[in-house]
Amino acid sequence: MEEKLQFVPSLKDAFAIGVKNLVPIVLSVLLWLVTVWIPYVNVGTTIALATLPVKLSKGEMISPMFIFESKYRHCMGEYFILQAVITSAISVAFLFMIIPAIVLSLSWMLAVYLLVGKGMNWALCLSESNRLMMGYKFKAFCLKFAVNIALLVVSYVLFSMFDAIAGSLGVLVCVLVGVCVMLSVDAVIYRELVLSEDKVEEAKPEEAL
């Protein structure tokens, strides 16, 4: 069986997905900013952005208009409960010397994505995310850490090599790319741990025949 979340291939995939969707992601954020004052609609658009990796995991170029899809508004109750539970639990875990909070956040990092991507209830999202991340938390941490380090290094180099204006513009572009790649890292993790398992389950009946 092929190993999931291989470091270099996963980073390459995340970079490719992030760069490919750089403009659509920026436009999606701009649309959110323009419409964030509209009650009820702003809930759906916020949930859409928060679960963007689910959309990115399919490998296709997204449309900025996806944030207005009604399915995101329909799950707002479950989303609020889920986020409240996660935030409260991680806040308590943070009191125990930070490390437990990091582990817990990695264990539950797929929960909000499962809520939208699989339509699970909030409690099942937590347990299923914990199951799926078992044995992959350190890999996920390394992928995220590598992107953050690369972002800091490239930003520092750009700011050091050019004057204030050009350096600032370079850093801005670098940050935009970095954020898109970071979202794409989550998309790759979701694809490798969730969507790949779905394909295995779908293939089982065919093998039985």
Side-chain angles (χ1 to χ4, degrees):
M1 183 180 293
E2 185 179 354
E3 183 183 357
K4 296 179 181 179
L5 292 184
Q6 297 180 53
F7 186 75
V8 175
S10 294
L11 280 181
K12 286 183 178 179
D13 284 352
F15 184 79
I17 294 171
V19 172
K20 178 181 178 180
N21 285 282
L22 175 61
V23 174
I25 291 174
V26 172
L27 291 177
S28 297
V29 174
L30 291 176
L31 275 175
W32 175 79
L33 289 172
V34 170
T35 59
V36 72
W37 57 274
I38 305 176
Y40 187 54
V41 171
N42 56 10
V43 175
T45 56
T46 300
I47 294 174
L49 287 182
T51 59
L52 182 56
V54 175
K55 206 79 172 177
L56 295 173
S57 67
K58 299 176 182 178
E60 304 168 355
M61 184 174 289
I62 65 172
S63 167
M65 297 300 294
F66 89 94
I67 66 173
F68 297 112
E69 293 178 12
S70 61
K71 67 178 182 180
Y72 297 108
R73 296 189 298 274
H74 294 164
C75 66
M76 68 175 182
E78 295 276 344
Y79 177 80
F80 288 149
I81 294 173
L82 179 59
Q83 288 289 30
V85 171
I86 291 175
T87 302
S88 300
I90 291 178
S91 297
V92 173
F94 190 82
L95 301 176
F96 292 84
M97 303 302 289
I98 303 175
I99 300 298
I102 296 175
V103 174
L104 196 57
S105 63
L106 289 168
S107 296
W108 288 346
M109 66 168 289
L110 295 175
V112 292
Y113 305 148
L114 291 170
L115 179 69
V116 170
K118 306 290 288 182
M120 297 178 179
N121 66 64
W122 67 268
L124 185 57
C125 286
L126 294 173
S127 60
E128 186 67 3
S129 177
N130 183 62
R131 181 187 70 82
L132 290 166
M133 290 301 297
M134 197 71 67
Y136 294 101
K137 289 187 283 292
F138 183 69
K139 287 186 176 182
F141 175 81
C142 289
L143 288 170
K144 289 172 174 289
F145 185 75
V147 173
N148 278 312
I149 292 298
L151 176 60
L152 288 174
V153 171
V154 174
S155 297
Y156 176 77
V157 171
L158 288 174
F159 198 74
S160 301
M161 289 178 60
F162 302 100
D163 58 61
I165 296 178
S168 298
L169 289 174
V171 170
L172 177 60
V173 172
C174 181
V175 169
L176 288 176
V177 173
V179 169
C180 292
V181 173
M182 184 62 74
L183 288 169
S184 299
V185 166
D186 279 15
V188 169
I189 294 172
Y190 183 85
R191 183 192 69 193
E192 293 295 311
L193 301 185
V194 180
L195 298 186
S196 62
E197 189 173 89
D198 290 345
K199 291 180 180 178
V200 171
E201 291 298 323
E202 289 173 1
K204 284 181 178 179
E206 296 180 4
E207 292 176 359
L209 293 174

